[in-house]
Amino acid sequence: AQKVTQAQTEISVVEKEDVTLDCVYETRDTTYYLFWYKQPPSGELVFLIRRNSFDEQNEISGRYSWNFQKSTSSFNFTITASQVVDSAVYFCALSDYNAGNMLTFGGGTRLMVKP
Amino acid sequence: KAGVTQTPRYLIKTRGQQVTLSCSPISGHRSVSWYQQTPGQGLQFLFEYFSETQRNKGNFPGRFSGRQFSNSRSEMNVSTLELGDSALYLCASSLAPGGSNTQYFGPGTRLTVL
């Protein structure tokens, strides 16, 4: 069975601070995909990144970076120099190769960035 | 390119009624999935359609059903509404099924059952 755990339910930081959102996953499959989505107050889930299980390279996109470690089943997300516009709920999700489009989501982390 | 659109955006119904929600995928996307989001259960997978066929279904009662049309547009239906069906219903589209295809989400339909 698939499971995604985001232990941090809420994080509050002051603008310009760096913040890391944790994600730990469980799956029996050797081929799987990991995702991060952002949900602003408007409700729409905005895609941020997809990683497959064979690609453990870390990725950086502007102020965002992701650290994928299969050894610890973690896929953590770091925002550098946070901004107020980063305030949102962030979801980590997992899709097994044989699960079609079914995404298993973590409970989400609410990030509040204060000016 | 236009994103995923969902109609209506807000809906208020009473217990026992039924409701139909609509989703238009991104142009060229043939796979559509539906998710329910509630404060208590979080985001849960409802079902997935590709080429007008349901390929996968989550753990929801038979009151929840859906379909996909030849133009890839999809509808979901909830019959005999219960208070617990109040939720944000999100539709996502992708080029094809499978985790290698990223799902893009619409703005959702917020359903309130009174």
Side-chain angles (χ1 to χ4, degrees):
Chain A
Q2 306 171 42
K3 186 178 179 182
V4 177
T5 302
Q6 295 179 253
Q8 306 147 308
T9 54
E10 201 166 292
I11 300 175
S12 182
V13 298
V14 176
E15 208 170 18
K16 296 185 184 176
E17 279 187 33
D18 298 347
V19 58
T20 295
L21 310 182
D22 297 333
C23 172
V24 174
Y25 62 91
E26 294 176 30
T27 178
R28 292 177 185 168
D29 279 10
T30 55
T31 302
Y32 52 88
Y33 304 88
L34 294 163
F35 302 80
W36 275 95
Y37 285 89
K38 173 183 179 180
Q39 187 175 44
S42 60
E44 180 173 347
L45 283 170
V46 178
F47 166 74
L48 295 177
I49 190 172
R50 182 187 78 222
R51 262 285 176 268
N52 72 51
S53 52
F54 298 109
D55 184 2
E56 284 194 77
Q57 257 192 328
N58 292 330
E59 178 149 341
I60 299 175
S61 177
R63 296 184 297 107
Y64 295 170
S65 63
W66 291 269
N67 183 300
F68 175 29
Q69 292 196 335
K70 284 178 75 171
S71 61
T72 55
S73 297
S74 65
F75 186 41
N76 297 336
F77 173 30
T78 297
I79 301 175
T80 303
S82 59
Q83 299 177 1
V84 172
V85 292
D86 295 328
S87 297
V89 181
Y90 291 85
F91 290 95
C92 180
L94 165 70
S95 176
D96 282 346
Y97 178 76
N98 293 312
N101 269 6
M102 187 178 78
L103 289 171
T104 298
F105 284 89
T109 297
R110 181 177 300 278
L111 173 64
M112 292 178 291
V113 182
K114 299 176 182 177
Chain B
K1 206 183 236 187
V4 178
T5 58
Q6 292 187 245
T7 56
R9 294 292 312 278
Y10 301 92
L11 209 47
I12 299 176
K13 292 286 187 178
T14 56
R15 278 181 301 173
Q17 286 187 310
Q18 76 166 19
V19 66
T20 299
L21 312 182
S22 181
C23 172
S24 292
I26 293 170
S27 177
H29 284 195
R30 298 173 59 202
S31 184
V32 173
S33 299
W34 289 88
Y35 294 82
Q36 181 197 63
Q37 185 176 25
T38 60
Q41 299 299 317
L43 278 156
Q44 293 184 288
F45 172 79
L46 277 158
F47 26 61
E48 166 195 349
Y49 287 89
F50 177 70
S51 293
E52 302 176 64
T53 302
Q54 186 180 90
R55 299 185 77 249
N56 208 349
K57 191 178 193 310
N59 189 24
F60 279 83
R63 301 185 296 107
F64 291 81
S65 63
R67 58 177 176 168
Q68 186 181 35
F69 302 96
S70 57
N71 61 357
S72 296
R73 192 178 68 84
S74 177
E75 289 181 348
M76 68 162 280
N77 185 278
V78 188
S79 63
T80 319
L81 284 166
E82 300 177 359
L83 294 179
D85 297 333
S86 294
L88 179 66
Y89 290 89
L90 292 161
C91 168
S93 77
S94 61
L95 285 169
S100 60
N101 295 288
T102 297
Q103 292 182 64
Y104 296 91
F105 284 80
T109 294
R110 187 164 295 281
L111 171 65
T112 302
V113 182
L114 302 175

